[in-house]
């Protein structure tokens, strides 16, 4: 007997494969936005150091201010592209899943669906399909970012201060632990809500 979680993962992987281009674009734009954030913070720190510590004239730092504005604009564009691409991927997947569900229900016919409550079927067609939006538009693109950006940030921090990098490495395992605890609580609440809506 197949493991339901394994089957679900395989199904989600198959769905994401059909919009690989959009998800890839969302991931690349997200990485670019993250890199722009790192450059933005570095420029801001350098500007504050030059203005406060070295008492440099603001006129002499014009190129840095223009660079900061350019990085902010590039970051905003990258974030917009990421949002649009992930939203498009999610929209296409939800349309596909909803179409497959309707075809499956039509193939079963009213007689074989007689023991199923219409509220539960309606909720699966509307809310359960819409729930895929969070996975494909938010979670999946962010998963790709979490493999690249933390390593870049760690490399930048390590090049500046090895002790701060060591502290980041020690704190890193706590983040997935807390995320897993929050996810388990959300899954339980979602199950209870599904039962209540079906009733």
């Amino acid at each position: 007997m197949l493991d339901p979680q394994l089957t679900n993962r395989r199904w989600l992987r198959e769905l994401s494969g059909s919009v690989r281009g959009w998800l890839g674009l969302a991931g690349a734009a997200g990485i670019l936005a993250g890199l722009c954030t790192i450059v933005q913070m570095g420029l801001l720190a350098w500007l504050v150091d030059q203005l406060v510590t070295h008492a440099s004239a603001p006129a002499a730092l014009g190129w840095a201010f223009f660079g900061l504005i350019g990085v902010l604009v590039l970051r905003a564009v990258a974030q917009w592209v990421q949002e649009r691409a992930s939203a498009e991927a999610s929209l296409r997947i939800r349309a596909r899943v909803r179409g497959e569900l309707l075809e499956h229900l039509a193939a079963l016919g009213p007689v074989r669906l007689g023991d199923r409550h219409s509220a539960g079927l309606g909720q699966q067609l509307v809310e359960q399909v819409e729930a895929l939006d969070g996975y494909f538009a938010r979670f999946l693109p962010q998963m790709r970012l979490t493999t690249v950006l933390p390593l870049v940030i760690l490399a930048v921090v390590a090049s500046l201060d090895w002790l701060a990098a060591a502290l980041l490495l020690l704190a890193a395992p706590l983040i997935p632990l807390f995320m897993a605890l929050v996810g388990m609580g959300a899954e339980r609440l979602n199950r209870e809500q599904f039962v209540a809506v079906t009733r």
Side-chain angles (χ1 to χ4, degrees):
M1 185 174 176
L2 284 174
D3 180 18
Q5 287 188 345
L6 185 65
T7 306
N8 290 341
R9 270 193 229 114
R10 192 176 295 138
W11 179 68
L12 289 171
R13 198 168 31 246
E14 179 196 329
L15 286 176
S16 64
S18 65
V19 289
R20 187 173 288 126
W22 288 106
L23 291 174
L25 178 61
I31 290 170
L32 178 60
L35 293 175
C36 286
T37 302
I38 294 169
V39 173
Q40 174 193 340
M41 294 301 117
L43 269 174
L44 275 174
W46 186 82
L47 279 169
V48 169
D49 177 60
Q50 292 297 312
L51 290 170
V52 175
T53 308
H54 298 96
S56 300
L61 303 173
W63 66 270
F65 285 107
F66 283 117
L68 186 61
I69 291 170
V71 167
L72 286 171
V73 170
L74 181 60
R75 179 180 162 205
V77 170
Q79 285 176 329
W80 180 80
V81 170
Q82 179 189 7
E83 288 289 322
R84 291 300 310 141
S86 57
E88 183 65 29
S90 171
L91 186 67
R92 288 175 183 232
I93 285 172
R94 284 179 288 142
R96 175 183 165 182
V97 170
R98 193 171 286 115
E100 288 176 2
L101 272 173
L102 287 171
E103 285 176 13
H104 183 67
L105 291 175
L108 287 175
V111 175
R112 289 167 70 190
L113 291 173
D115 60 336
R116 300 289 305 269
H117 199 282
S118 59
L121 290 173
Q123 203 233 6
Q124 284 177 330
L125 274 173
V126 179
E127 290 185 26
Q128 294 296 310
V129 173
E130 289 302 312
L132 291 172
D133 180 58
Y135 179 78
F136 287 105
R138 302 276 176 270
F139 177 76
L140 209 54
Q142 291 302 322
M143 279 294 292
R144 294 173 183 198
L145 300 185
T146 57
T147 58
V148 176
L149 289 180
L151 295 175
V152 174
I153 292 170
L154 187 65
V156 170
V157 171
S159 69
L160 299 172
D161 186 359
W162 67 270
L163 184 58
L167 289 173
L168 282 176
L169 275 175
L170 287 174
L174 296 175
I175 296 170
L177 173 68
F178 290 128
M179 287 175 67
L181 291 173
V182 170
M184 286 186 282
E187 181 187 9
R188 182 181 49 79
L189 289 173
N190 189 33
R191 246 185 278 116
E192 291 172 3
Q193 183 186 20
F194 178 73
V195 172
V197 168
T198 303
R199 284 186 191 144

